[in-house]
Amino acid sequence: MKNVSAIIFGAAIIIAAFFLGNAYVRRANPPQIISVTGLGNENFTSDLIVWEGQFSSNSTVLKTAFDQLNNDKEIVRQYLTSKGIPAENIIFNSVQTTEMRDNQYDNGNYVGSIFRGYQLTQTLKIESEDVALIEGVSREITELLNKGVQFNSYPPRYYYTKLADLKIEMISKATEDARIRAEKIAENAGSGLGDLVSANMGVFQITGQNSGEDYSWGGAYNTSSKNKTASITMRLEYKVK
C-alpha cells in the first residue's frame, strides 16, 4: 500500500509540474498580436432638406389675433406654393397662444402684472428632396415682409437618405485600410500576417466638409452643412506567423 501511495503521489507531482511548466511557457511566450486601426471616409452631398419657420400675430382681442394669424397663414401658403413647393410638403403645426403681461414692481417688490394682449404663433415645417429649391426659398422668404407677414426662418437642416448603404461601404474601406497596415507592419518585422483575431468598429462621425469640426467620443452628426464627410474606424487584431 505504501508503494502504491508513493506511486500515486509521484504521478500527481509530475502532472502538476507539467501543467505549471506549460503555463510558464505560455506566459513567457505570449502569442504575437498586431493591433491596427483603419480609417474609412467618404464625401457626400445631402439629398434631403428640412426647413422650419414661424409667424405670429398680436392683439388684445383673442379672436382678432386668431383671424389675423389665419390670414397670414394663407398668405404664407400661397407664397410657398407659388415658388414651386407642393402644398402637401407644407406642414402647419398647431397654434401656440401666449398671454402677454408686463410685470409691475414697487420699491423692487413684485406687485402684479398688467395685461398687454395675446400673441398667437404658428410654425411650419417643409421636408423635401428638392434641396436646391428649398434652399432658394429659405433665402428669399423675407419677401413676405412686403405682404405684411413677419416670417422668422430657421436655418435648414440637411440629411442623407442612403446613410445605411454608405456606412457599409465605409466599414469595408476601413477594414481594408487596417489590413494593409497590418501586412506592412508584419512585413517590416520580417514576419507574416496570420489569422484575424478580432475586429471592432469605432464611432461613426458625420461632419461638414472643410468645417474644422471636432470629432466627438459619442459621434458627431452634422445637420447644418449640405456637403458632408462621413468617417468610421475599424480596429483589427491579427496573429503573427
Side-chain angles (χ1 to χ4, degrees):
M1 289 294 294
K2 289 183 178 180
N3 290 335
V4 173
S5 297
I7 292 171
I8 294 173
F9 182 69
I13 291 176
I14 293 171
I15 293 170
F18 173 78
F19 284 109
L20 287 173
N22 277 348
Y24 178 79
V25 170
R26 287 196 300 269
R27 184 175 179 183
N29 299 282
Q32 297 300 307
I33 298 293
I34 292 178
S35 295
V36 289
T37 300
L39 174 66
N41 54 39
E42 190 75 31
N43 293 329
F44 65 94
T45 300
S46 304
D47 61 1
L48 180 70
I49 186 171
V50 177
W51 175 48
E52 295 178 285
Q54 69 173 34
F55 52 97
S56 60
S57 63
N58 299 278
S59 177
T60 55
V61 179
L62 186 58
K63 186 179 184 308
T64 301
F66 187 72
D67 290 343
Q68 180 59 51
L69 190 73
N70 275 337
N71 182 66
D72 290 349
K73 176 181 177 180
E74 190 55 33
I75 293 174
V76 171
R77 189 200 307 277
Q78 291 179 6
Y79 173 82
L80 294 176
T81 54
S82 72
K83 293 293 184 177
I85 300 176
E88 59 270 21
N89 284 16
I90 306 170
I91 307 300
F92 289 94
N93 298 315
S94 59
V95 177
Q96 303 296 317
T97 303
T98 303
E99 190 175 290
M100 298 181 295
R101 290 181 172 274
D102 288 332
N103 293 330
Q104 301 295 304
Y105 297 89
D106 184 13
N107 294 324
N109 297 316
Y110 176 75
V111 295
S113 62
I114 298 177
F115 174 73
R116 287 198 302 112
Y118 297 99
Q119 181 180 69
L120 273 59
T121 303
Q122 189 160 33
T123 61
L124 67 83
K125 178 180 178 180
I126 297 173
E127 188 173 309
S128 174
E129 294 182 359
D130 194 339
V131 178
L133 171 64
I134 305 304
E135 273 187 326
V137 175
S138 70
R139 296 189 186 106
E140 300 167 355
I141 196 66
T142 51
E143 291 177 348
L144 282 173
L145 290 173
N146 297 328
K147 300 178 181 293
V149 179
Q150 185 173 349
F151 189 94
N152 296 316
S153 175
Y154 303 138
R157 303 192 304 275
Y158 299 91
Y159 301 92
Y160 189 58
T161 60
K162 304 179 183 67
L163 203 56
D165 295 335
L166 179 65
K167 192 172 182 179
I168 292 173
E169 181 181 344
M170 290 168 52
I171 290 173
S172 177
K173 287 185 177 181
T175 302
E176 178 66 13
D177 181 53
R179 186 187 62 79
I180 293 173
R181 291 169 186 260
E183 287 178 343
K184 192 65 177 177
I185 292 172
E187 179 185 338
N188 291 340
S191 303
L193 200 62
D195 295 334
L196 177 66
V197 177
S198 67
N200 294 292
M201 186 175 68
V203 177
F204 187 53
Q205 309 272 358
I206 296 180
T207 57
Q209 287 183 25
N210 306 315
S211 65
E213 289 180 73
D214 292 328
Y215 288 119
S216 167
W217 287 108
Y221 194 102
N222 176 289
T223 59
S224 61
S225 301
K226 179 171 65 174
N227 297 314
K228 308 178 194 290
T229 299
S231 61
I232 198 168
T233 57
M234 288 294 297
R235 183 174 180 81
L236 307 184
E237 289 188 344
Y238 286 95
K239 289 182 180 178
V240 177
K241 292 181 180 178

